[in-house]
Amino acid sequence: MGAITTMDPESARQPQAPSTTPQGKLSQSGAIFVPGRGAVFEPRGKHYVCGALAAFTNIIITFPIQKVLFRQQLHGVLATEAVRQLQHEGLRNLYRGLMPPLLQKTTTVAIMFGLYEDFSRLLLRYACGSGSPELLTRSAAAFLAGTAEAALTPFERVQTLLQDHRHNARFQNTPHAFRTLLRDYGVKECYRGLVPVLLRNGPSNVLFFGLRGPIKQQLPEAQTKTGHLLNDFVCGGLLGAALGILFYPLNVVKSRAQAQVGGEFVSCSWVLSTVWRERGGSLVSLFRGATLNFHRSLLSWGIINATYELLLKVI
């Protein structure tokens, strides 16, 4: 996200399988042995903090773009129409709904990077004598971390409601939306859209952490701090943009499902078939907003990955 070429380019900073070899290896106590420096203890919470701060930076910068994209996913309108809607609603409402993604994204990205490191450390420690391929072990760690992120689906749920102009009069802000859902419908309603979130998070994490290292290795070797920062931005941005396109239909299904308040819980296939019919059975219409999503993901994950790697060096 050296000695390891399958998952991570920064092997001296990433957890390795337990070993007694003093060449940048992780011991059973969690110390990393660095030649000339001895045992270097890396704070266990470091990856959580760096992930959260990276996500915070990204959300503040890209939230207006995300709001335009959401309108396209939900209503199938062109970007110009979505921008016109936001202009009509005024600057005061531009950052309406910011708090849920700010809380959700900072927490999920912290979990994504932090739990990936913790699960990798744990699984590698127990798999070191079993002969299991490291790629498989780290893929399992990435999948588990992505699945754990789904516990925060209620934040995405409330974000959807606050960004949908049809609910402007009903939900005042984030606390009010949560109170209304819990009071009138119960906890289950907060997890509407959970299935597409699960189908998206696990596989996308596996691909992100699995390809982050190999992609960075293909980039020109950086000679300066700025060069390293640029490489991390390009690597994260390309991966985020590609995964955003790959899983775009699931995000359309999630947005449609979570825009509903109350009523029957329906399957992903039913929601997808409904959207497909409404948009005239057109693949182009189904992917409406995907171009903006590509550019937003390119920027967002570039910021997240570059900021995360920078903070790892600073903290």
Side-chain angles (χ1 to χ4, degrees), residues 47 51-52 54-55 104-114 149 301 304:
H47 297 278
Q104 184 261 344
K105 198 67 176 179
T106 53
T107 309
T108 55
V109 174
I111 289 174
M112 173 183 168
F113 284 106
E149 291 174 46
W301 282 101
I304 288 174

Side-chain angles (χ1 to χ4, degrees), residues 89-105:
E89 293 169 20
L91 186 62
R92 180 180 178 181
N93 287 318
L94 180 61
Y95 275 86
R96 173 182 162 86
L98 172 67
M99 192 56 64
L102 197 61
L103 295 173
Q104 184 261 344
K105 198 67 176 179

Side-chain angles (χ1 to χ4, degrees), residues 6-244:
T6 54
M7 298 298 285
D8 296 308
E10 312 283 349
S11 61
R13 205 170 54 242
Q14 304 292 346
Q16 309 291 323
S19 171
T20 57
T21 305
Q23 185 68 31
K25 293 293 185 179
L26 181 72
S27 73
Q28 294 290 346
S29 64
I32 298 177
F33 290 92
V34 180
R37 296 176 60 192
V40 178
F41 288 87
E42 184 178 75
R44 288 296 179 89
K46 176 179 179 179
H47 297 278
Y48 292 94
V49 174
C50 292
L53 292 175
F56 179 89
T57 303
N58 163 64
I59 288 295
I60 295 299
I61 294 173
T62 63
F63 184 76
I65 302 174
Q66 168 61 29
K67 203 161 188 178
V68 171
L69 173 63
F70 168 78
R71 296 289 175 91
Q72 290 191 275
Q73 289 178 339
L74 185 60
H75 305 302
V77 298
L78 297 175
T80 51
E81 171 60 20
V83 171
R84 189 197 64 77
Q85 290 180 5
L86 294 179
Q87 288 176 332
H88 178 73
E89 293 169 20
L91 186 62
R92 180 180 178 181
N93 287 318
L94 180 61
Y95 275 86
R96 173 182 162 86
L98 172 67
M99 192 56 64
L102 197 61
L103 295 173
Q104 184 261 344
K105 198 67 176 179
T106 53
T107 309
T108 55
V109 174
I111 289 174
M112 173 183 168
F113 284 106
L115 280 185
Y116 170 69
E117 293 296 332
D118 285 346
F119 280 134
S120 293
R121 188 188 300 266
L122 178 66
L123 293 178
L124 287 171
R125 182 166 294 163
Y126 285 99
C128 63
S130 66
S132 300
E134 184 174 333
L135 176 62
L136 179 62
T137 303
R138 288 190 176 274
S139 295
F143 187 87
L144 289 172
T147 301
E149 291 174 46
L152 299 173
T153 296
F155 287 113
E156 289 193 59
R157 171 77 164 115
V158 170
Q159 177 187 353
T160 298
L161 295 176
L162 292 178
Q163 289 185 349
D164 186 354
H165 66 89
R166 297 175 300 180
H167 298 300
N168 280 356
R170 183 172 186 183
F171 301 109
Q172 300 171 8
N173 49 43
T174 300
H176 181 258
F178 272 118
R179 286 198 305 269
T180 302
L181 290 178
L182 291 171
R183 183 189 66 234
D184 297 343
Y185 303 99
V187 175
K188 184 179 179 181
E189 185 68 27
C190 293
Y191 280 90
R192 189 182 289 272
L194 174 63
V195 173
V197 171
L198 286 170
L199 293 175
R200 176 197 67 191
N201 283 9
S204 65
N205 261 22
V206 172
L207 292 172
F208 180 83
F209 285 109
L211 297 175
R212 195 166 63 130
I215 289 177
K216 187 172 182 179
Q217 290 172 359
Q218 297 304 312
L219 297 175
E221 185 176 356
Q223 303 296 332
T224 64
K225 291 182 179 180
T226 302
H228 281 291
L229 192 66
L230 181 60
N231 277 0
D232 289 327
F233 179 90
V234 171
C235 173
L238 289 176
L239 258 179
L243 294 175

